[in-house]
Amino acid sequence: MNLPAGLWFILCLLTSFYGLGLSSSAVTISNNGYSGLLIAINPEVPESSGLIDAIKEVWTNASKALYTATKQRAYFASITILVPKSWSMGTYQSAGKETYNAADVLVAYRNPVYQDQPYTLQYGGCGEPGTYIHLTPSYLVNDSFVNIFGPKGKAMVHEWGHYRWGVFDETPTYGYNSFYQNSLGQIEATRWENVEATRCPVNLKGEFKVIDYSTGTARDCQRNVQNRLPEDGCVFLPYEKQLSNLTSSIMSNQYVEKVELFCHNEKIDPYNIHNKEAPNEQNRMCNLRSTWEVILDSSDFANANSPNVAILDTSPTFHVVKLTSSKRHVLVLDTSGSMGWKEGLEQMLQAVSIFIAQFVPIGDRVALVEFDSVAQKLTNLCTIKDETSREDLLNNLPTTAGGNTCIGCGLEKSLKILEEGGEDPTGGNIVVFTDGEESEYPFVNAVADQVLQAGSVVHAIFFNTNSNDDLKKLVVDSSGIWFYGTDVNSILGAFETLSSSNDGDVYSKTFQVHSSTFDVDKNSIFSGIVDIDSTVGNSTVFTFTWGQYDAQVHVVLQHPSGCSYSTNLVGIVDKCPGQPLHKIDSTFKVVNFPLPGTADPGRWRYYVSSTATSSQTVVASVTSQASDQTKQPIVVSSGLDKTSAGTGEAIVVYAQVSQGFAPVLDANVLALIQQPDGTVKELELFDAGGAPDVRANDGVYSRFFTSYSDSGSYGVRVRVSKTANSIKATHVAGSRSPVNLGTIKSDGSVSIDPEGINYVRNDVGLSIETGNFSREVTNEGFQYIGQAVTKTDDFFPPNAVKDLKAEQKSLTNSESGVALIFTAPGDDYDQGTAFRYELRYVINNVTQLADAFENCTLVEDTDVIEGNLTQPKAAETKETFLISNNFPFPMKGQVTLGFALLAIDESGNRADPSNVAPVAYLYSPPVVIQPSTKGDASRVVATMTSLAFLTVVLLHYIY
């Protein structure tokens, strides 16, 4: 079948990015075996052959456990371990395309909240892969952690569930209640009536205990009079011996010996069925679906990789490789005739000159190629050693434009450069800068296979053009990144991203802390401010470019102390030491101020004026590196949930703000979306827990983008800032391996691991103090292939609510009603204000809300005591409703109510239903009766056998 180039590119994008979320993983599965798993060791980790051996042992066990957990559907066939480039004592192969930034598993220093606890950074929703798994060297080599998190192989399968399949914890992580009121009551010897521990399945048996870690003892929990649940500090301890038919769940209690599988929804095995009533992230994010249902629906297993019992050896093949000491960049520059229009050549050369002069790290190698009707090598690969080597490259940049466009010629020439001297072109970066369609053979599609076979990585910067889908496809196929820009600012950001370290060394990374584009009129002065924080300061450069005219701009740079540097050599009253500091490049119209030593933290100011007769456009950019290796710099990373969208589809923009592995909260995060016509849309990102944000206060900010001006390419930059008067917030922990706090032995005694106390109260922590700071990052671009969005069009529904919570207003007053709390959706996803809400409920069988929302009972306006179903609040604000208790059931005892809602816009577009929010509603005041204080575990285990049949009957009734 022959497809048009544009449609073929779109299909490739959808295939390449579907379901990947923010993950850049190269993992594939074929014949039940995962290949391409990359485990990268942070450069701060000392070299250790013992660590390599531990990684191999842990993941060999993980492969065996995965094969069991997936019921013979998957195992790890091959794994690559990437060691830092500083490691020298071992024998390592050279890495190809492997980079630290693209790793599936990071082996690095402790997270301040998780400590040595394995966890997964999860940005996306249900079924969307995570970003990485984080393991510490201590966890990998220290066998004592088996007592806390269970066998390491099973713990890795738990994290793989988060990372690969986008399932969530079934334990009470992230502030969920450890206990809840069961709709049918619990058959339990501890006589806690309707109280259940949050876990999966409910047939995992145990007791409720308060642990005294100072003495290593435990006592039975008391009842909280206010809510009838166990007192604060009470935990669920499973029995050491469970019934033989208990096999799940890996996402709940992987440390229990008999737990090997995932909770499911298969009635043929009701003993291990998913617990849909438990208050946990899996039920909220996946709307009561079991982890096994989500896993089987993934692309790994939906139509492939059926169970294979013939696999006798699940041991992976390991490859240990080391990063090369430098990166190779071949800049392939378009100098065709069209680049001579509208200052295209000038802006390209300005950005390229700054890339060479400031961004390329010492030790990296750069070559230059230009192309028009043919391609010409301007330089070989030159190692950046000092200012002289940078100047040599700058002196070879092209200066004229003319002729046709042969991008294929440029690609062929760049490959020859990467292969010179018998070098392996694998992993070499080819950066194509172009503004238009091809017009000379060979075209990109004619040389694409040659490039891919060579293993080179192609990146592209599309300047003022939406053309050349073949080049975009080659970028995607070679694991590169493409950018879209219409000015020097956006191009600079693309080069900053491409020059960034890919080895995990944040101390040598160049951060863009400021960028601004502004116009300066004759006889006027433009002023700007830049906050330099204490985590950066080395190699700081203030850069200013100008265009349109040869008239140089004049800049005054003011130090936080008040002294100044200036391009004017006279008239400066309070000169800083070292004045004059600036360097002017009249050829490329660039002036920069390289600050000596470590820049002092604080608020810097710049003042720009011009002698041009007309308004002059100026771009200001400030870059800096970490101040020292004793303090982690503040880092911003950004991504998209996909890179292609059609009519009615939104693009989710994410940004993670962190210092080390600690999240930075209460930051101002702004996405700048550059549209095909060059205009920029601003989109504020939030970390408040409303969709698409997975959880509040975890340092991950996100938002839906729907304001497409037209079909074509879109560029994305993210600007982050924070001021000293920001709120001091608490950050939360998310997806991680559950902790074994202790077990109940067969004789009724309690076995407690004293180290477990370190992981009991680590759900929240105070946010770090950062002071004023700013950062900017440029993201990959995305393609919109749908209709232009006008004011009269309404293609987008409101977003689905993902944080609906329900609770009885007063447990002692049966007339009090039910309070509902959630984040308001918008008119177009999370933009604007919805038209009205549709709220429904069920009694006891809460799964009906997930299975058939429209068939559940509608809450009428007259049932609402507080709030208004027909007047929603603006998106991202908190909604609170109070629903009367006019529910059709006997006014006594207890029932479980379930609520869900959706928003509708003025055009009738309906959101997907929200998460289901269950609540145990008490019609009788709590009876203060303490449970039995003696737990005879041997009697309970015996009793469980006789009660198993009744439990099965009850579970069939529920589901």
Side-chain angles (χ1 to χ4, degrees):
M1 178 175 66
N2 294 321
L3 294 172
L7 180 57
W8 175 249
F9 165 66
I10 292 164
L11 290 176
C12 289
L13 270 183
L14 294 175
T15 302
S16 300
F17 289 95
Y18 175 77
L20 286 182
L22 288 182
S23 174
S24 58
S25 175
V27 174
T28 59
I29 183 170
S30 178
N31 297 322
N32 304 99
Y34 283 112
S35 299
L37 173 63
L38 179 60
I39 301 174
I41 301 174
N42 189 277
E44 293 187 42
V45 175
E47 185 166 5
S48 167
S49 59
L51 177 59
I52 298 292
D53 292 340
I55 292 172
K56 291 180 178 179
E57 180 182 359
V58 167
W59 285 89
T60 297
N61 293 334
S63 184
K64 182 178 179 181
L66 180 67
Y67 183 66
T68 299
T70 58
K71 300 179 180 180
Q72 293 78 49
R73 286 172 171 82
Y75 69 102
F76 296 114
S78 67
I79 296 175
T80 299
I81 302 172
L82 180 68
V83 304
K85 59 186 179 184
S86 60
W87 285 25
S88 59
M89 293 185 290
T91 302
Y92 312 113
Q93 302 174 14
S94 295
K97 291 186 178 182
E98 297 90 354
T99 67
Y100 183 90
N101 295 350
D104 306 285
V105 182
L106 301 181
V107 178
Y109 50 87
R110 287 180 171 187
N111 180 299
V113 173
Y114 297 97
Q115 301 178 68
D116 290 300
Q117 188 174 20
Y119 74 93
T120 301
L121 182 63
Q122 242 177 318
Y123 286 18
C126 184
E128 298 180 17
T131 304
Y132 57 74
I133 298 170
H134 180 192
L135 306 175
T136 66
S138 179
Y139 171 81
L140 288 163
V141 303
N142 193 335
D143 290 338
S144 67
F145 285 108
V146 173
N147 298 327
I148 303 175
F149 306 111
K152 295 179 183 179
K154 288 201 294 180
M156 294 306 96
V157 174
H158 177 98
E159 298 310 320
W160 189 252
H162 291 310
Y163 176 74
R164 182 68 180 185
W165 303 310
V167 296
F168 293 84
D169 289 317
E170 296 165 324
T171 47
T173 55
Y174 179 50
Y176 290 91
N177 290 332
S178 298
F179 303 93
Y180 66 99
Q181 299 281 351
N182 190 319
S183 61
L184 292 180
Q186 180 181 356
I187 305 169
E188 184 67 81
T190 51
R191 299 177 185 174
W192 271 95
E193 299 171 342
N194 297 56
V195 177
E196 287 279 15
T198 300
R199 67 199 190 282
C200 193
V202 291
N203 287 303
L204 181 78
K205 300 302 180 182
E207 296 182 12
F208 305 164
K209 299 288 184 179
V210 173
I211 301 174
D212 185 341
Y213 284 94
S214 63
T215 62
T217 60
R219 63 170 174 81
D220 291 325
C221 299
Q222 304 298 307
R223 190 185 300 277
N224 184 318
V225 177
Q226 299 299 319
N227 59 16
R228 298 182 62 180
L229 296 177
E231 63 184 291
D232 291 344
C234 183
V235 296
F236 172 77
L237 300 184
Y239 290 121
E240 188 177 52
K241 300 295 183 181
Q242 300 283 335
L243 289 181
S244 59
N245 50 354
L246 178 88
T247 57
S248 64
S249 170
I250 285 284
M251 299 308 294
S252 179
N253 297 85
Q254 83 286 335
Y255 53 81
V256 174
E257 181 182 3
K258 295 184 62 60
V259 169
E260 295 182 322
L261 306 177
F262 295 93
C263 266
H264 54 70
N265 198 36
E266 300 166 4
K267 293 183 178 180
I268 193 173
D269 179 21
Y271 207 84
N272 294 285
I273 208 159
H274 175 60
N275 180 5
K276 298 185 179 183
E277 293 191 340
N280 55 39
E281 275 205 318
Q282 175 63 23
N283 279 333
R284 177 176 73 92
M285 295 301 301
C286 295
N287 222 4
L288 309 185
R289 297 177 69 203
S290 70
T291 54
W292 187 235
E293 287 177 273
V294 176
I295 291 169
L296 287 184
D297 281 347
S298 72
S299 58
D300 289 350
F301 308 119
N303 299 300
N305 299 297
S306 300
N308 184 355
V309 297
I311 298 173
L312 301 179
D313 185 6
T314 60
S315 301
T317 300
F318 290 94
H319 305 278
V320 184
V321 300
K322 185 174 78 168
L323 281 168
T324 57
S325 58
S326 64
K327 293 168 67 175
R328 294 171 291 168
H329 312 272
V330 181
L331 305 186
V332 185
L333 308 177
D334 187 345
T335 55
S336 61
S338 59
M339 285 294 292
W341 305 338
K342 296 182 179 180
E343 295 84 36
L345 179 66
E346 180 179 87
Q347 294 187 60
M348 177 182 73
L349 294 179
Q350 284 180 328
V352 171
S353 68
I354 295 172
F355 170 74
I356 293 172
Q358 299 177 25
F359 289 170
V360 184
I362 295 291
D364 279 7
R365 294 190 287 165
V366 179
L368 300 175
V369 171
E370 69 169 323
F371 67 90
D372 42 46
S373 301
V374 294
Q376 179 182 352
K377 179 177 73 172
L378 302 177
T379 72
N380 293 317
L381 281 168
C382 304
T383 303
I384 301 297
K385 300 177 181 178
D386 48 29
E387 292 301 315
T388 301
S389 55
R390 297 183 193 274
E391 288 292 336
D392 289 342
L393 282 168
L394 292 174
N395 291 334
N396 281 282
L397 286 173
T399 56
T400 59
N404 294 327
T405 306
C406 182
I407 301 176
C409 297
L411 291 170
E412 287 183 322
K413 188 70 67 174
S414 62
L415 272 185
K416 290 180 180 179
I417 292 175
L418 290 171
E419 292 171 344
E420 286 179 350
E423 282 199 64
D424 185 353
T426 300
N429 294 297
I430 300 173
V431 183
V432 180
F433 190 109
T434 183
D435 76 336
E437 285 277 13
E438 303 170 275
S439 56
E440 287 284 350
Y441 290 98
F443 284 179
V444 170
N445 60 8
V447 301
D449 287 344
Q450 180 184 354
V451 175
L452 294 173
Q453 289 170 7
S456 300
V457 181
V458 179
H459 310 285
I461 300 173
F462 294 96
F463 181 67
N464 279 324
T465 180
N466 290 303
S467 304
N468 212 311
D469 290 337
D470 285 337
L471 181 55
K472 290 178 181 175
K473 181 179 183 301
L474 176 58
V475 169
V476 172
D477 290 346
S478 68
S479 302
I481 308 172
W482 65 265
F483 304 87
Y484 169 74
T486 60
D487 55 30
V488 173
N489 214 339
S490 54
I491 303 168
L492 273 179
F495 276 122
E496 188 273 331
T497 298
L498 292 174
S499 65
S500 293
S501 158
N502 60 7
D503 60 1
D505 183 5
V506 294
Y507 301 107
S508 63
K509 174 181 172 62
T510 297
F511 299 97
Q512 189 167 22
V513 299
H514 175 82
S515 71
S516 178
T517 301
F518 49 90
D519 292 329
V520 180
D521 297 326
K522 184 179 180 180
N523 299 323
S524 68
I525 298 176
F526 180 89
S527 63
I529 61 173
V530 180
D531 288 319
I532 302 291
D533 61 278
S534 63
T535 72
V536 294
N538 283 342
S539 302
T540 301
V541 182
F542 283 72
T543 301
F544 303 86
T545 67
W546 69 92
Q548 293 108 343
Y549 311 103
D550 291 330
Q552 176 197 321
V553 296
H554 296 292
V555 181
V556 176
L557 179 60
Q558 188 178 71
H559 186 279
S561 68
C563 71
S564 298
Y565 302 101
S566 175
T567 55
N568 292 320
L569 300 182
V570 295
I572 300 298
V573 177
D574 188 3
K575 297 180 182 179
C576 291
Q579 163 72 10
L581 187 68
H582 65 280
K583 298 179 179 180
I584 298 175
D585 190 327
S586 300
T587 302
F588 302 117
K589 301 178 182 178
V590 176
V591 57
N592 61 58
F593 293 78
L595 302 184
T598 302
D600 290 326
R603 177 153 289 182
W604 292 69
R605 300 179 186 273
Y606 59 83
Y607 304 89
V608 182
S609 60
S610 172
T611 59
T613 56
S614 300
S615 179
Q616 198 164 14
T617 300
V618 178
V619 173
S621 176
V622 183
T623 58
S624 189
Q625 294 184 357
S627 55
D628 61 68
Q629 296 200 4
T630 63
K631 183 183 296 184
Q632 287 281 342
I634 297 168
V635 178
V636 175
S637 57
S638 181
L640 310 172
D641 72 325
K642 52 182 175 286
T643 56
S644 181
T647 301
E649 295 181 319
I651 290 281
V652 179
V653 184
Y654 298 90
Q656 181 194 10
V657 189
S658 59
Q659 186 175 3
F661 287 110
V664 174
L665 306 185
D666 198 37
N668 301 309
V669 183
L670 192 67
L672 306 173
I673 314 295
Q674 194 158 42
Q675 304 192 105
D677 62 1
T679 59
V680 175
K681 289 277 189 179
E682 294 186 353
L683 181 71
E684 187 175 4
L685 310 186
F686 299 113
D687 181 20
D693 194 36
V694 171
R695 57 180 69 88
N697 294 332
D698 63 352
V700 178
Y701 302 74
S702 59
R703 197 83 181 276
F704 292 102
F705 177 75
T706 58
S707 300
Y708 309 105
S709 63
D710 203 349
S711 59
S713 299
Y714 287 71
V716 182
R717 279 189 297 138
V718 172
R719 178 175 294 165
V720 180
S721 63
K722 186 173 181 178
T723 56
N725 59 0
S726 297
I727 299 170
K728 187 174 178 65
T730 56
H731 62 259
V732 300
S735 307
R736 78 272 202 195
S737 295
V739 181
N740 179 12
L741 300 176
T743 55
I744 308 295
K745 294 186 175 182
S746 299
D747 62 1
S749 62
V750 179
S751 174
I752 298 171
D753 187 336
E755 295 297 321
I757 185 63
N758 297 322
Y759 301 92
V760 175
R761 298 296 182 189
N762 64 348
D763 275 353
V764 298
L766 289 177
S767 60
I768 55 177
E769 293 290 348
T770 61
N772 292 6
F773 78 88
S774 60
R775 296 287 188 276
E776 293 205 14
V777 294
T778 297
N779 219 329
E780 61 186 331
F782 66 86
Q783 192 88 354
Y784 179 60
I785 56 177
Q787 301 178 39
V789 179
T790 67
K791 292 182 178 179
T792 59
D793 295 321
D794 194 353
F795 301 128
F796 306 102
N799 62 283
V801 171
K802 289 298 183 183
D803 60 350
L804 178 65
K805 296 180 181 179
E807 60 182 20
Q808 187 170 343
K809 183 70 173 179
S810 171
L811 297 178
T812 59
N813 179 7
S814 62
E815 303 293 325
S816 62
V818 177
L820 303 178
I821 303 171
F822 60 96
T823 302
D827 176 79
D828 295 340
Y829 288 94
D830 59 356
Q831 316 287 314
T833 305
F835 181 63
R836 65 183 177 90
Y837 294 124
E838 184 176 302
L839 175 64
R840 295 180 181 272
Y841 76 94
V842 293
I843 300 172
N844 284 337
N845 192 358
V846 298
T847 60
Q848 290 179 350
L849 286 162
D851 299 336
F853 175 81
E854 288 78 8
N855 295 336
C856 299
T857 306
L858 187 69
V859 174
E860 304 291 348
D861 292 341
T862 54
D863 298 323
V864 179
I865 301 172
E866 296 178 13
N868 195 321
L869 294 172
T870 61
Q871 293 183 4
K873 292 182 179 179
E876 300 297 330
T877 57
K878 285 297 179 184
E879 290 271 31
T880 301
F881 280 73
L882 183 61
I883 310 302
S884 67
N885 68 336
N886 298 326
F887 307 114
F889 46 73
M891 301 285 285
K892 61 181 180 180
Q894 171 193 316
V895 295
T896 294
L897 298 172
F899 291 88
L901 60 82
L902 57 78
I904 304 170
D905 66 20
E906 288 183 308
S907 300
N909 295 317
R910 296 168 63 86
D912 290 332
S914 70
N915 63 294
V916 176
V919 56
Y921 200 82
L922 307 179
Y923 269 95
S924 299
V927 178
V928 186
I929 300 176
Q930 296 298 339
S932 62
T933 57
K934 180 177 177 58
D936 185 349
S938 59
R939 175 175 56 82
V940 172
V941 172
T943 305
M944 286 194 296
T945 305
S946 63
L947 294 175
F949 174 75
L950 180 55
T951 303
V952 169
V953 173
L954 290 175
L955 288 169
H956 272 293
Y957 173 76
I958 296 175
Y959 302 108

